[in-house]
Coordinates of all heavy atoms in Angstrom, one line a residue:
P30 N 66.8 -215.5 -89.1 CA 68.1 -215.3 -88.5 C 68.5 -213.8 -88.5 O 68.1 -213.0 -89.5 CB 68.9 -216.1 -89.4 CG 68.2 -216.4 -90.6 CD 66.8 -216.2 -90.3
C31 N 69.3 -213.4 -87.7 CA 69.8 -212.0 -87.6 C 71.4 -212.1 -87.9 O 72.0 -213.1 -87.6 CB 69.4 -211.2 -86.4 SG 70.0 -212.0 -84.9
Q32 N 71.9 -210.9 -88.3 CA 73.3 -210.9 -88.4 C 74.1 -210.4 -87.2 O 73.5 -209.6 -86.4 CB 73.7 -210.0 -89.6 CG 75.0 -210.2 -90.3 CD 75.2 -209.4 -91.6 OE1 74.5 -208.4 -91.8 NE2 76.1 -209.8 -92.4
A33 N 75.3 -210.8 -87.0 CA 76.1 -210.4 -85.9 C 77.5 -210.3 -86.4 O 78.0 -210.8 -87.4 CB 76.1 -211.5 -84.8
I34 N 78.3 -209.5 -85.5 CA 79.7 -209.3 -85.8 C 80.5 -209.9 -84.6 O 80.1 -209.8 -83.5 CB 80.1 -207.8 -86.1 CG1 81.5 -207.7 -86.5 CG2 79.8 -206.9 -84.8 CD1 81.7 -206.4 -87.3
V35 N 81.6 -210.6 -84.9 CA 82.3 -211.2 -83.9 C 83.3 -210.2 -83.2 O 84.0 -209.5 -84.0 CB 83.2 -212.4 -84.5 CG1 84.0 -213.1 -83.5 CG2 82.2 -213.4 -85.2
L36 N 83.3 -210.1 -82.0 CA 84.1 -209.2 -81.2 C 85.4 -209.7 -80.8 O 86.4 -209.0 -80.6 CB 83.4 -208.9 -79.9 CG 81.9 -208.2 -80.1 CD1 81.3 -208.0 -78.7 CD2 82.0 -206.9 -80.8
Y37 N 85.6 -211.1 -80.7 CA 86.9 -211.7 -80.3 C 87.1 -213.0 -81.1 O 86.1 -213.6 -81.4 CB 86.9 -212.1 -78.8 CG 86.3 -211.0 -77.9 CD1 85.0 -211.0 -77.4 CD2 87.0 -209.9 -77.5 CE1 84.5 -210.0 -76.5 CE2 86.6 -208.9 -76.7 CZ 85.3 -209.0 -76.2 OH 84.8 -208.0 -75.4
D38 N 88.3 -213.3 -81.2 CA 88.6 -214.7 -81.8 C 88.1 -215.8 -80.9 O 88.3 -215.7 -79.7 CB 90.1 -214.8 -82.0 CG 90.7 -213.9 -83.1 OD1 90.0 -213.3 -83.8 OD2 92.0 -213.9 -83.2
F39 N 87.7 -216.8 -81.5 CA 87.2 -218.0 -80.7 C 87.6 -219.2 -81.5 O 87.3 -219.4 -82.6 CB 85.7 -218.0 -80.5 CG 85.1 -219.2 -79.8 CD1 85.4 -219.5 -78.5 CD2 84.4 -220.1 -80.6 CE1 84.9 -220.6 -77.9 CE2 83.9 -221.3 -80.0 CZ 84.2 -221.5 -78.6
E40 N 88.3 -220.1 -80.8 CA 88.7 -221.4 -81.3 C 87.8 -222.5 -80.7 O 87.8 -222.6 -79.5 CB 90.2 -221.8 -81.0 CG 91.2 -221.0 -81.8 CD 91.2 -221.3 -83.2 OE1 90.8 -222.5 -83.6 OE2 91.6 -220.5 -84.1
G41 N 87.0 -223.1 -81.6 CA 86.1 -224.1 -81.0 C 86.9 -225.3 -80.4 O 87.9 -225.7 -81.1
T42 N 86.5 -225.8 -79.3 CA 87.2 -226.9 -78.7 C 86.5 -228.2 -78.9 O 87.1 -229.3 -78.8 CB 87.5 -226.7 -77.2 OG1 86.3 -226.4 -76.5 CG2 88.5 -225.5 -77.0
N43 N 85.2 -228.2 -79.1 CA 84.4 -229.3 -79.4 C 84.0 -229.3 -80.9 O 84.0 -228.3 -81.5 CB 83.1 -229.3 -78.5 CG 83.5 -229.5 -77.0 OD1 84.4 -230.2 -76.7 ND2 82.8 -228.8 -76.2
E44 N 83.5 -230.5 -81.4 CA 83.2 -230.7 -82.8 C 82.0 -229.8 -83.1 O 81.9 -229.4 -84.3 CB 82.9 -232.1 -83.0 CG 83.0 -232.5 -84.4 CD 82.8 -234.0 -84.6 OE1 83.7 -234.7 -84.2 OE2 81.8 -234.4 -85.2
D45 N 81.1 -229.5 -82.2 CA 79.9 -228.7 -82.5 C 80.1 -227.2 -82.4 O 79.2 -226.4 -82.6 CB 78.7 -229.2 -81.7 CG 78.9 -229.1 -80.1 OD1 80.1 -228.9 -79.7 OD2 77.9 -229.2 -79.4
E46 N 81.3 -226.8 -82.0 CA 81.6 -225.4 -81.9 C 82.3 -224.9 -83.2 O 83.0 -225.6 -83.8 CB 82.5 -225.1 -80.7 CG 81.9 -225.5 -79.4 CD 82.8 -225.4 -78.2 OE1 84.1 -225.1 -78.4 OE2 82.3 -225.6 -77.1
M47 N 82.0 -223.6 -83.5 CA 82.5 -223.0 -84.7 C 83.6 -222.0 -84.4 O 83.4 -221.1 -83.6 CB 81.4 -222.3 -85.5 CG 81.8 -221.7 -86.8 SD 80.4 -221.1 -87.7 CE 79.9 -219.7 -86.8
A48 N 84.8 -222.1 -85.0 CA 85.9 -221.1 -84.8 C 85.5 -219.9 -85.6 O 85.1 -220.0 -86.8 CB 87.2 -221.7 -85.3
V49 N 85.7 -218.7 -85.0 CA 85.4 -217.4 -85.6 C 86.5 -216.5 -85.3 O 87.2 -216.7 -84.4 CB 84.0 -216.8 -85.1 CG1 82.9 -217.7 -85.7 CG2 84.0 -216.7 -83.6
R50 N 86.7 -215.5 -86.1 CA 87.7 -214.4 -86.0 C 87.1 -213.1 -85.7 O 85.9 -212.8 -86.2 CB 88.5 -214.4 -87.2 CG 89.3 -215.6 -87.6 CD 90.6 -215.7 -86.6 NE 91.1 -217.0 -86.7 CZ 91.0 -217.9 -85.7 NH1 90.3 -217.6 -84.6 NH2 91.5 -219.1 -85.8
K51 N 87.7 -212.2 -85.0 CA 87.3 -210.9 -84.7 C 86.9 -210.2 -86.0 O 87.6 -210.4 -87.0 CB 88.4 -210.1 -84.0 CG 88.0 -208.7 -83.6 CD 89.1 -208.0 -82.9 CE 88.8 -206.7 -82.3 NZ 88.4 -205.7 -83.2
D52 N 85.8 -209.5 -86.1 CA 85.3 -208.8 -87.2 C 84.6 -209.6 -88.3 O 84.1 -209.1 -89.3 CB 86.4 -207.9 -87.8 CG 86.8 -206.8 -86.9 OD1 86.1 -206.3 -86.0 OD2 88.1 -206.4 -87.0
D53 N 84.6 -211.0 -88.1 CA 83.8 -211.8 -89.0 C 82.3 -211.4 -88.9 O 81.9 -211.1 -87.7 CB 83.9 -213.3 -88.6 CG 85.2 -213.9 -89.1 OD1 85.9 -213.3 -89.8 OD2 85.4 -215.1 -88.8
K54 N 81.6 -211.5 -90.0 CA 80.1 -211.4 -89.9 C 79.5 -212.7 -90.0 O 79.9 -213.5 -91.0 CB 79.7 -210.4 -91.0 CG 79.9 -209.0 -90.7 CD 79.3 -208.0 -91.7 CE 79.7 -206.6 -91.3 NZ 79.4 -205.6 -92.3
I55 N 78.6 -213.1 -89.1 CA 77.9 -214.4 -89.1 C 76.5 -214.2 -88.9 O 76.0 -213.1 -88.7 CB 78.5 -215.3 -88.0 CG1 78.4 -214.5 -86.6 CG2 80.0 -215.6 -88.1 CD1 78.7 -215.4 -85.4
F56 N 75.7 -215.2 -89.2 CA 74.3 -215.2 -89.0 C 73.9 -216.0 -87.8 O 74.4 -217.2 -87.7 CB 73.6 -215.8 -90.3 CG 73.6 -214.8 -91.4 CD1 74.6 -214.9 -92.4 CD2 72.7 -213.8 -91.5 CE1 74.7 -214.1 -93.4 CE2 72.8 -212.9 -92.6 CZ 73.7 -213.0 -93.6
I57 N 73.1 -215.5 -86.9 CA 72.6 -216.2 -85.7 C 71.4 -216.9 -86.1 O 70.4 -216.3 -86.5 CB 72.4 -215.2 -84.5 CG1 73.6 -214.4 -84.3 CG2 71.9 -216.0 -83.4 CD1 74.9 -215.2 -84.0
E58 N 71.4 -218.2 -86.1 CA 70.2 -219.0 -86.5 C 69.3 -219.2 -85.3 O 68.1 -219.2 -85.5 CB 70.7 -220.3 -87.0 CG 71.5 -220.1 -88.3 CD 71.8 -221.5 -89.0 OE1 72.2 -222.5 -88.3 OE2 71.8 -221.5 -90.3
S59 N 69.8 -219.5 -84.1 CA 68.9 -219.7 -83.0 C 69.7 -219.7 -81.7 O 70.9 -219.7 -81.7 CB 68.1 -221.1 -83.1 OG 69.0 -222.1 -83.1
K60 N 69.0 -219.7 -80.6 CA 69.6 -219.7 -79.3 C 69.2 -221.1 -78.7 O 68.1 -221.4 -78.5 CB 69.1 -218.6 -78.4 CG 69.8 -218.5 -77.1 CD 69.4 -217.2 -76.5 CE 70.1 -217.0 -75.2 NZ 70.0 -215.7 -74.6
P61 N 70.3 -222.0 -78.4 CA 69.9 -223.3 -77.8 C 69.4 -223.2 -76.4 O 69.5 -222.1 -75.8 CB 71.3 -224.0 -77.9 CG 72.3 -223.0 -77.9 CD 71.7 -221.8 -78.5
E62 N 69.0 -224.3 -75.8 CA 68.5 -224.3 -74.5 C 69.5 -224.1 -73.4 O 69.2 -223.7 -72.3 CB 67.7 -225.6 -74.2 CG 68.5 -226.8 -74.4 CD 68.6 -227.4 -75.7 OE1 68.1 -226.8 -76.7 OE2 69.2 -228.5 -75.9
Y63 N 70.8 -224.3 -73.8 CA 71.8 -224.0 -72.7 C 72.4 -222.6 -72.8 O 72.5 -222.0 -73.8 CB 73.0 -225.1 -72.8 CG 73.3 -225.6 -74.2 CD1 74.2 -225.1 -75.0 CD2 72.5 -226.8 -74.6 CE1 74.5 -225.7 -76.3 CE2 72.8 -227.3 -75.8 CZ 73.7 -226.7 -76.6 OH 74.0 -227.3 -77.9
E64 N 72.6 -222.1 -71.7 CA 72.9 -220.6 -71.4 C 74.2 -220.3 -72.0 O 75.2 -221.0 -71.9 CB 72.9 -220.4 -69.9 CG 72.9 -219.0 -69.5 CD 71.6 -218.4 -69.3 OE1 70.5 -219.1 -69.4 OE2 71.5 -217.2 -69.3
G65 N 74.3 -219.1 -72.6 CA 75.6 -218.5 -73.0 C 76.1 -218.8 -74.4 O 77.2 -218.5 -74.8
W66 N 75.3 -219.6 -75.2 CA 75.7 -220.0 -76.5 C 74.7 -219.6 -77.6 O 73.5 -219.4 -77.2 CB 75.9 -221.5 -76.6 CG 77.1 -222.0 -75.7 CD1 77.0 -222.3 -74.4 CD2 78.5 -222.0 -76.1 NE1 78.3 -222.6 -74.0 CE2 79.1 -222.5 -75.0 CE3 79.1 -221.8 -77.3 CZ2 80.6 -222.7 -75.1 CZ3 80.5 -222.0 -77.4 CH2 81.2 -222.4 -76.2
L67 N 75.2 -219.4 -78.8 CA 74.3 -219.2 -79.9 C 74.6 -220.1 -81.1 O 75.8 -220.5 -81.2 CB 74.4 -217.8 -80.5 CG 74.1 -216.6 -79.5 CD1 74.6 -215.3 -80.0 CD2 72.6 -216.6 -79.2
I68 N 73.6 -220.6 -81.9 CA 73.9 -221.3 -83.0 C 74.0 -220.4 -84.1 O 73.1 -219.6 -84.5 CB 72.7 -222.4 -83.3 CG1 72.6 -223.4 -82.1 CG2 73.0 -223.1 -84.6 CD1 71.4 -224.2 -82.1
A69 N 75.2 -220.4 -84.8 CA 75.6 -219.5 -85.8 C 75.9 -220.2 -87.1 O 76.3 -221.3 -87.1 CB 76.7 -218.6 -85.3
K70 N 75.9 -219.4 -88.2 CA 76.3 -219.9 -89.5 C 77.3 -219.0 -90.1 O 77.0 -217.7 -90.2 CB 75.1 -220.1 -90.4 CG 75.4 -220.7 -91.8 CD 74.0 -220.8 -92.5 CE 74.2 -221.4 -93.9 NZ 74.7 -222.8 -94.0
G71 N 78.4 -219.5 -90.5 CA 79.5 -218.7 -91.1 C 79.5 -219.0 -92.6 O 78.6 -219.6 -93.2
R72 N 80.6 -218.6 -93.2 CA 80.8 -218.9 -94.7 C 80.8 -220.4 -95.0 O 80.1 -220.7 -96.0 CB 82.1 -218.3 -95.1 CG 82.0 -216.8 -95.5 CD 83.3 -216.4 -96.2 NE 83.6 -215.0 -95.7 CZ 84.4 -214.7 -94.8 NH1 85.0 -215.6 -94.1 NH2 84.6 -213.4 -94.5
D73 N 81.5 -221.2 -94.3 CA 81.7 -222.5 -94.7 C 81.1 -223.5 -93.7 O 81.2 -224.8 -94.0 CB 83.2 -222.8 -94.8 CG 84.0 -222.4 -93.7 OD1 83.5 -221.8 -92.7 OD2 85.2 -222.7 -93.7
R74 N 80.6 -223.2 -92.6 CA 80.0 -224.1 -91.7 C 79.1 -223.4 -90.7 O 79.0 -222.2 -90.6 CB 81.1 -225.0 -90.9 CG 82.0 -224.2 -90.1 CD 82.9 -225.1 -89.3 NE 82.2 -225.9 -88.5 CZ 82.5 -226.4 -87.3 NH1 83.7 -226.2 -86.8 NH2 81.8 -227.3 -86.5
S75 N 78.5 -224.2 -89.8 CA 77.7 -223.7 -88.7 C 78.0 -224.4 -87.4 O 78.6 -225.5 -87.4 CB 76.2 -223.8 -89.0 OG 75.8 -225.0 -89.1
G76 N 77.7 -223.8 -86.3 CA 78.1 -224.3 -85.0 C 77.8 -223.4 -83.9 O 77.3 -222.3 -84.1
L77 N 78.2 -223.7 -82.7 CA 78.0 -223.0 -81.5 C 79.1 -221.9 -81.4 O 80.3 -222.2 -81.6 CB 78.0 -223.9 -80.3 CG 76.9 -224.8 -80.2 CD1 77.2 -225.8 -79.1 CD2 75.6 -224.1 -79.9
V78 N 78.7 -220.7 -80.9 CA 79.7 -219.6 -80.6 C 79.2 -219.1 -79.3 O 78.0 -219.1 -79.0 CB 79.8 -218.6 -81.8 CG1 80.4 -219.1 -83.0 CG2 78.5 -217.9 -82.0
P79 N 80.2 -218.6 -78.5 CA 79.8 -218.0 -77.2 C 79.0 -216.7 -77.4 O 79.4 -215.8 -78.3 CB 81.1 -217.7 -76.6 CG 82.1 -218.5 -77.3 CD 81.6 -218.6 -78.6
E80 N 77.9 -216.5 -76.8 CA 77.0 -215.4 -77.0 C 77.8 -214.0 -76.6 O 77.6 -213.1 -77.2 CB 75.9 -215.5 -76.0 CG 74.7 -214.5 -76.2 CD 73.5 -214.8 -75.4 OE1 73.4 -215.7 -74.7 OE2 72.5 -214.0 -75.7
A81 N 78.7 -214.1 -75.6 CA 79.4 -212.9 -75.2 C 80.5 -212.5 -76.3 O 81.0 -211.4 -76.2 CB 80.1 -213.1 -73.9
Y82 N 80.8 -213.3 -77.3 CA 81.7 -213.0 -78.3 C 81.2 -212.3 -79.5 O 81.9 -212.0 -80.4 CB 82.5 -214.4 -78.7 CG 83.5 -214.8 -77.8 CD1 83.3 -214.9 -76.4 CD2 84.8 -215.1 -78.2 CE1 84.3 -215.3 -75.5 CE2 85.8 -215.6 -77.4 CZ 85.5 -215.7 -76.0 OH 86.5 -216.1 -75.2
V83 N 79.9 -212.1 -79.5 CA 79.3 -211.5 -80.7 C 78.4 -210.3 -80.4 O 77.9 -210.2 -79.2 CB 78.4 -212.6 -81.5 CG1 79.3 -213.7 -82.0 CG2 77.3 -213.0 -80.8
Q84 N 78.2 -209.4 -81.3 CA 77.3 -208.3 -81.1 C 76.4 -208.4 -82.2 O 76.7 -208.3 -83.4 CB 78.0 -207.0 -81.1 CG 77.2 -205.8 -80.9 CD 78.0 -204.5 -80.9 OE1 79.1 -204.5 -80.8 NE2 77.2 -203.4 -81.1
L85 N 75.0 -208.4 -81.9 CA 74.0 -208.4 -82.9 C 74.0 -207.1 -83.7 O 74.1 -206.0 -83.1 CB 72.7 -208.7 -82.3 CG 72.5 -210.0 -81.6 CD1 71.1 -210.2 -81.0 CD2 72.9 -211.2 -82.5
I86 N 73.8 -207.2 -85.0 CA 73.7 -206.0 -85.9 C 72.3 -205.7 -86.0 O 71.5 -206.5 -86.6 CB 74.4 -206.2 -87.2 CG1 75.9 -206.6 -87.0 CG2 74.2 -205.0 -88.0 CD1 76.6 -207.0 -88.2
T87 N 71.8 -204.5 -85.6 CA 70.4 -204.1 -85.8 C 70.3 -203.5 -87.1 O 71.3 -203.0 -87.7 CB 70.0 -203.1 -84.7 OG1 70.9 -202.0 -84.7 CG2 70.1 -203.7 -83.3
S88 N 69.1 -203.5 -87.6 CA 68.8 -202.9 -88.9 C 69.0 -201.3 -88.8 O 68.9 -200.8 -87.8 CB 67.4 -203.2 -89.4 OG 66.5 -202.6 -88.6
N89 N 69.1 -200.7 -90.0 CA 69.3 -199.3 -90.0 C 68.0 -198.5 -90.0 O 67.9 -197.3 -90.2 CB 70.1 -198.9 -91.2 CG 71.5 -199.4 -91.2 OD1 72.1 -199.6 -90.1 ND2 72.1 -199.6 -92.3
A90 N 66.9 -199.2 -89.8 CA 65.6 -198.6 -89.8 C 65.4 -197.6 -88.6 O 65.8 -198.0 -87.5 CB 64.5 -199.7 -89.8
V91 N 64.9 -196.5 -88.9 CA 64.7 -195.6 -87.8 C 63.2 -195.6 -87.3 O 62.3 -195.6 -88.1 CB 64.9 -194.1 -88.3 CG1 64.7 -193.1 -87.2 CG2 66.4 -194.0 -88.8
P92 N 63.0 -195.9 -86.1 CA 61.7 -196.0 -85.6 C 60.8 -194.7 -85.7 O 61.4 -193.6 -85.5 CB 61.7 -196.3 -84.1 CG 63.2 -196.0 -83.8 CD 64.0 -196.0 -85.0
I93 N 59.6 -194.8 -86.1 CA 58.8 -193.7 -86.3 C 58.2 -193.3 -84.9 O 57.6 -194.2 -84.2 CB 57.6 -193.9 -87.3 CG1 58.2 -194.3 -88.6 CG2 56.7 -192.8 -87.3 CD1 57.2 -194.8 -89.6
E94 N 58.5 -192.1 -84.4 CA 58.0 -191.6 -83.1 C 56.5 -191.3 -83.3 O 56.0 -190.6 -84.1 CB 58.7 -190.5 -82.7 CG 60.2 -190.8 -82.3 CD 60.9 -189.7 -81.7 OE1 60.3 -188.8 -81.0 OE2 62.1 -189.7 -81.8
Q95 N 55.7 -191.9 -82.3 CA 54.3 -191.5 -82.2 C 54.1 -190.4 -81.3 O 54.8 -190.2 -80.3 CB 53.5 -192.8 -81.6 CG 53.7 -194.0 -82.4 CD 53.1 -194.0 -83.8 OE1 52.0 -193.4 -83.9 NE2 53.7 -194.6 -84.7
G96 N 53.3 -189.4 -81.7 CA 53.2 -188.2 -80.9 C 52.1 -187.4 -81.4 O 51.7 -186.4 -81.1

């Protein structure tokens, strides 16, 4: 799983959706077969969040340039 930061507040409307708040850090567990959603895990639960509402956090590793 990779880490992501939430860009906007999201209130889940279905039981399988997870409410998140702007600036929350969550873990992305997988991408379901339906478009536009991610399966995420927060502090107290897991569920679906809109893909457009999160930004994946990349590692701080600097790529080694070949040359």
Side-chain angles (χ1 to χ4, degrees):
C31 61
Q32 201 172 20
I34 190 156
V35 179
L36 301 174
Y37 315 102
D38 289 352
F39 173 70
E40 285 293 335
T42 54
N43 294 322
E44 200 172 292
D45 58 350
E46 296 172 356
M47 181 173 72
V49 290
R50 297 280 166 258
K51 184 180 187 298
D52 297 326
D53 280 354
K54 285 189 180 167
I55 58 174
F56 288 96
I57 305 303
E58 296 187 321
S59 63
K60 189 171 182 166
E62 60 276 4
Y63 27 96
E64 192 87 12
W66 293 90
L67 296 169
I68 298 173
K70 184 173 176 68
R72 273 189 217 95
D73 53 354
R74 64 173 299 211
S75 61
L77 295 168
V78 295
E80 191 171 5
Y82 279 50
V83 301
Q84 178 178 345
L85 299 181
I86 299 172
T87 56
S88 68
N89 294 333
V91 178
I93 299 170
E94 290 187 25
Q95 302 292 324

